């Protein structure tokens, strides 16, 4: 960033000396406030001068010194004596304009530095607001003088866009990448469904796909290490073979520590598991922080929301308690600058009187919390329309683009998801996510 000269202590002190010598010069200059001065002693002196002038009181060394002493400014006498001995400015109006320009430059520089910091953390909304607030008044008032500073803000904005693209995370499943696009740091993706609908299997499928590109953290709040071990190892050995089937039969008898090592290292899987089974929200957040800060994970899965233990005392409703959990976890993901994928149960919606299969759920059917629908950027809803038929998954919400896409979850004999494909008799799909469309960002 270009280094701009943003301060001049000599100019500030000489302008103050001029006003102390000739208070009438205030009438010939633009209005300058105390906050436009960069140096604290000059700011205090100018504040006193403006107050004396506004009250119609005389301005001289004695009145200024007394006022400074009353305000608790140390060394007031020496300060006034030194400033009063300085040479005066030739043109008070020009000096005041230069001080205003320097103040605007400092403001611009602070905005540019802040924008550059946000480029590193990837906060697009914040830097847009900063750039707009800095550029609009500066370019409207002094477009020539602030051309360099304006370019600095634009460069910071462009750098942010590049950083954001680098920080976006592909899901790694072609049909999801085409419809959803990449996940953003701090974003919340909800995978909802009734028990047995395949939501946990889908989350593991996403984690296995994403770990090929980034390190993935997986917080299990429901299933113990052995269950996740069987799921992961089953997904690594599909299609099943006699050897893998025999191996899966032995998984129940492997010690937990050995199984964890197998889960973490087998076949190059870069997923780090943390277990907070039936633990309260702070423990789940601690597990997320540990995965990101200690293990270097770049995306975190939490399976699942309703397994988090909450205290339901008198007057505390379950939906309110779980809404607070959602806000806590999303806030944690935003601070850690990682996408969060959260599993959630929804109500069972039986299809017909026979109870054979379930009808498609909606985000409003997510169990015990309505805040998920508002907090989430992406919502995937899973359900099983008929027994012994492939489960289905609907893109029920996409904040930055059209939703509505429908997929079938094809499972293997081991129960894990082998592939995700569009049903043959599905309705025409909506438009896919377009990364180069500004309206979707």
């Amino acid at each position: 960033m270009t280094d701009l000269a943003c301060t001049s202590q000599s100019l500030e002190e000489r302008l103050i000396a001029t006003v102390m010598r000739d208070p009438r010069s205030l009438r010939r200059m633009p209005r300058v406030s105390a906050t436009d001065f960069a140096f604290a002693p000059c700011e205090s002196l100018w504040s006193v001068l403006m107050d004396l002038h506004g009250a119609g009181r005389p301005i001289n060394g004695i009145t200024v010194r007394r006022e400074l002493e009353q305000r608790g400014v140390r060394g007031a006498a020496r300060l006034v004596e030194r400033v009063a001995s300085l040479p005066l400015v030739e043109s008070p109006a020009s000096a005041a304009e230069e001080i205003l320009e320097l103040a605007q430059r400092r403001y611009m520089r602070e905005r540019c530095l802040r924008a550059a910091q946000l480029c590193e953390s990837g906060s697009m909304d914040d830097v847009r607001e900063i750039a707009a607030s800095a550029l609009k008044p500066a370019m409207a008032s002094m477009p020539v003088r602030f051309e360099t500073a304006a370019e600095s803000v634009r460069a910071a904005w462009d750098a942010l866009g590049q950083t954001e693209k680098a920080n976006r995370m592909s899901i790694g499943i072609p049909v999801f990448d085409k419809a959803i696009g990449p996940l953003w740091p701090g974003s919340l993706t909800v995978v909802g469904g009734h028990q047995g609908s395949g939501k946990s299997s889908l989350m593991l499928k996403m984690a296995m796909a994403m770990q090929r590109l980034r390190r993935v953290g997986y917080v299990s709040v429901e299933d113990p290490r052995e269950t996740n071990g069987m799921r992961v190892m089953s997904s690594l050995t599909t299609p099943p073979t006699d050897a893998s089937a025999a191996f899966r039969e032995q998984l129940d008898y492997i010690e937990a520590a050995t199984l964890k090592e197998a889960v973490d290292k087998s076949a190059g899987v870069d997923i780090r598991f943390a277990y907070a089974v039936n633990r309260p929200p702070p423990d789940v957040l601690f597990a997320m922080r540990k995965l990101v800060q200690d293990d270097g994970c770049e995306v975190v899965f939490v399976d699942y929301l309703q397994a988090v233990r909450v205290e339901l005392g008198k007057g505390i409703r379950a939906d309110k308690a779980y809404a607070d959990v959602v806000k806590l976890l999303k806030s944690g993901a935003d601070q850690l600058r990682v996408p969060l994928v959260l599993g959630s149960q929804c109500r069972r919606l039986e299809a017909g009187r026979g109870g054979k299969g379930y009808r498609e759920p909606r985000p409003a059917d997510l169990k015990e919390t309505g805040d998920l629908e508002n907090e989430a950027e992406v919502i995937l809803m899973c359900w099983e329309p008929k027994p012994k038929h492939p489960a289905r998954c609907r893109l029920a919400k996409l904040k930055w683009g059209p939703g509505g896409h429908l997929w079938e979850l094809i499972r293997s004999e081991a129960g894990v998801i082998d592939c995700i494909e569009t049903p043959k008799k599905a309705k025409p799909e909506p438009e896919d996510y377009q990364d180069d469309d500004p309206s979707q960002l």
Side-chain angles (χ1 to χ4, degrees):
M1 185 177 299
T2 304
D3 186 20
L4 300 175
C6 296
T7 61
S8 176
Q9 184 175 359
S10 173
L11 179 65
E12 293 181 2
E13 291 177 342
R14 289 172 60 200
L15 178 62
I16 292 172
T18 302
V19 174
M20 289 177 61
R21 187 80 57 85
D22 181 15
R24 292 175 299 179
S25 60
L26 286 171
R27 304 172 185 173
R28 303 190 299 271
M29 66 176 70
R31 182 175 180 82
V32 181
S33 66
T35 55
D36 293 324
F37 288 78
F39 297 93
C42 295
E43 182 178 352
S44 300
L45 277 168
W46 193 260
S47 178
V48 168
L49 294 178
M50 292 298 99
D51 290 345
L52 291 174
H53 177 70
R57 296 169 57 188
I59 296 177
N60 53 52
I62 297 175
T63 57
V64 171
R65 175 176 58 80
R66 287 177 179 173
E67 190 68 25
L68 287 173
E69 290 174 347
Q70 291 178 1
R71 300 185 183 190
V73 178
R74 294 182 178 180
R78 291 193 302 273
L79 176 61
V80 172
E81 183 180 355
R82 184 177 64 83
V83 171
S85 65
L86 295 174
L88 308 183
V89 296
E90 295 181 1
S91 171
S94 299
E97 289 178 357
E98 188 172 350
I99 286 177
L100 289 172
E101 180 181 345
L102 292 173
Q104 184 74 332
R105 285 186 180 181
R106 289 194 300 275
Y107 171 78
M108 291 287 290
R109 184 179 64 178
E110 292 171 0
R111 298 298 88 188
C112 291
L113 291 175
R114 179 59 180 151
Q117 293 172 355
L118 291 169
C119 285
E120 297 177 359
S121 63
S123 301
M124 174 66 82
D125 293 339
D126 292 338
V127 81
R128 280 177 174 166
E129 182 179 349
I130 285 175
S133 64
L135 281 175
K136 187 175 180 179
M139 297 304 292
S141 58
M142 302 178 188
V144 178
R145 294 184 182 183
F146 287 93
E147 183 177 359
T148 304
E151 287 301 325
S152 298
V153 174
R154 290 197 184 96
W157 197 342
D158 292 341
L160 174 76
Q162 297 301 322
T163 304
E164 281 288 348
K165 288 186 177 181
N167 288 341
R168 300 178 198 176
M169 188 169 299
S170 170
I171 299 175
I173 300 174
V175 291
F176 281 5
D177 287 334
K178 184 178 180 182
I180 300 173
L183 303 182
W184 296 72
S187 65
L188 172 61
T189 299
V190 173
V191 180
H194 58 77
Q195 187 175 3
S197 63
K199 63 179 182 300
S200 294
S201 298
L202 178 58
M203 291 177 66
L204 185 60
K205 177 72 173 179
M206 294 169 64
M208 293 293 293
M210 296 179 81
Q211 62 87 27
R212 300 188 185 101
L213 303 173
R214 308 286 185 108
R215 177 165 290 182
V216 174
Y218 201 104
V219 181
S220 178
V221 191
E222 178 193 24
D223 294 325
R225 182 176 283 109
E226 291 77 11
T227 302
N228 283 323
M230 286 187 283
R231 285 176 175 168
V232 172
M233 299 309 294
S234 295
S235 65
L236 292 174
T237 55
T238 52
T241 63
D242 292 339
S244 65
F247 177 76
R248 284 196 295 276
E249 290 177 1
Q250 299 297 322
L251 280 175
D252 286 330
Y253 305 99
I254 298 178
E255 294 183 359
T258 305
L259 182 57
K260 181 180 185 302
E261 183 179 357
V263 169
D264 288 347
K265 295 182 179 180
S266 294
V269 174
D270 201 10
I271 301 178
R272 296 294 182 265
F273 281 85
Y275 293 89
V277 178
N278 195 29
R279 302 297 298 173
D283 289 2
V284 179
L285 181 60
F286 176 79
M288 290 172 54
R289 291 186 181 278
K290 191 174 185 301
L291 288 170
V292 175
Q293 296 173 351
D294 295 350
D295 296 338
C297 295
E298 298 171 88
V299 59
V300 175
F301 288 72
V302 176
D303 187 20
Y304 61 93
L305 173 63
Q306 285 75 18
V308 179
R309 191 178 75 217
V310 296
E311 299 295 334
L312 300 177
K314 184 177 180 180
I316 302 178
R317 296 169 46 186
D319 55 351
K320 176 64 169 62
Y322 282 110
D324 292 341
V325 175
V326 172
K327 293 178 181 177
L328 176 69
L329 299 185
K330 186 176 182 182
S331 175
D334 186 53
Q335 293 175 5
L336 295 169
R337 303 309 304 159
V338 296
L340 172 62
V341 182
L342 177 64
S344 176
Q345 285 188 344
C346 71
R347 301 178 183 86
R348 289 177 177 270
L349 304 171
E350 294 185 358
R353 297 181 180 179
K356 297 181 179 180
Y358 302 93
R359 59 185 175 87
E360 179 179 349
R362 298 183 179 183
D365 297 315
L366 290 168
K367 194 174 180 181
E368 294 176 328
T369 174
D371 269 25
L372 273 177
E373 187 173 0
N374 299 323
E375 295 284 348
E377 280 76 23
V378 181
I379 298 180
L380 296 168
M381 299 298 293
C382 303
W383 78 100
E384 196 172 29
K386 295 180 181 179
K388 298 182 181 181
H389 281 69
R392 293 197 169 188
C393 175
R394 172 82 70 182
L395 177 57
K397 177 183 177 181
L398 182 63
K399 185 175 181 180
W400 49 77
H405 295 74
L406 179 65
W407 302 284
E408 284 187 343
L409 310 179
I410 310 301
R411 303 196 200 195
S412 69
E413 295 180 9
V416 298
I417 296 176
D418 262 351
C419 64
I420 302 173
E421 58 186 31
T422 303
K424 295 180 180 179
K425 296 182 180 180
K427 297 179 181 178
E429 293 290 338
E431 295 181 4
D432 295 322
Y433 166 85
Q434 297 293 330
D435 187 43
D436 56 356
D437 184 356
S439 65
Q440 298 187 28
L441 298 179

